[in-house]
Amino acid sequence: LRERGIRAGSSGPATRRLVVTEYARGAGDPLCVEARAAIGLGSACVVLAENPRQKLTVPILLAPGTLLAPQRTRAAWRLSVPTRRVEVFEGRRFARGRRLVVAFGGPG
């Protein structure tokens, strides 16, 4: 997974840190996690990507196996997963199941 993150452009000291978070069905994490890249495993979910410098929040569908690697800025994006049992993304609804998010980088 680390090598996949590096190939996507997330290199340097930030890729030395790896955080794996497990979420039960419907669970989320209201606290933002700073990350250079993230891979979703298990159920799909909508991740909120926030760029504090630009004061911008973007919803992103993180399907199983998807690598999310923001590259438009050197600053880390903060990623959060809202608590909800049903996702709505671009007009589609789907139930959320158990999932894992593997995040590269962050404070430390």
Side-chain angles (χ1 to χ4, degrees):
L1 292 175
R2 180 179 179 274
E3 293 303 317
R4 186 174 174 194
I6 289 171
R7 283 194 307 271
S10 177
S11 62
T15 51
R16 293 186 188 138
R17 183 175 173 107
L18 181 82
V19 178
V20 179
T21 307
E22 178 181 13
Y23 296 93
R25 181 178 181 266
D29 188 353
L31 300 175
C32 291
V33 176
E34 292 183 11
R36 298 281 180 201
I39 297 175
L41 304 171
S43 175
C45 68
V46 174
V47 174
L48 297 180
E50 178 188 359
N51 185 315
R53 287 188 181 173
Q54 297 177 2
K55 297 182 181 177
L56 175 68
T57 301
V58 179
I60 299 169
L61 180 62
L62 192 60
T66 299
L67 173 68
L68 174 63
Q71 297 180 15
R72 293 188 177 206
T73 179
R74 292 182 189 197
W77 285 69
R78 292 186 297 185
L79 306 176
S80 64
V81 178
T83 299
R84 56 176 81 128
R85 288 192 178 263
V86 176
E87 295 283 13
V88 178
F89 186 79
E90 295 183 350
R92 294 179 294 159
R93 294 175 57 93
F94 54 94
R96 213 195 258 175
R98 179 182 170 268
R99 67 197 184 290
L100 298 172
V101 175
V102 180
F104 302 92

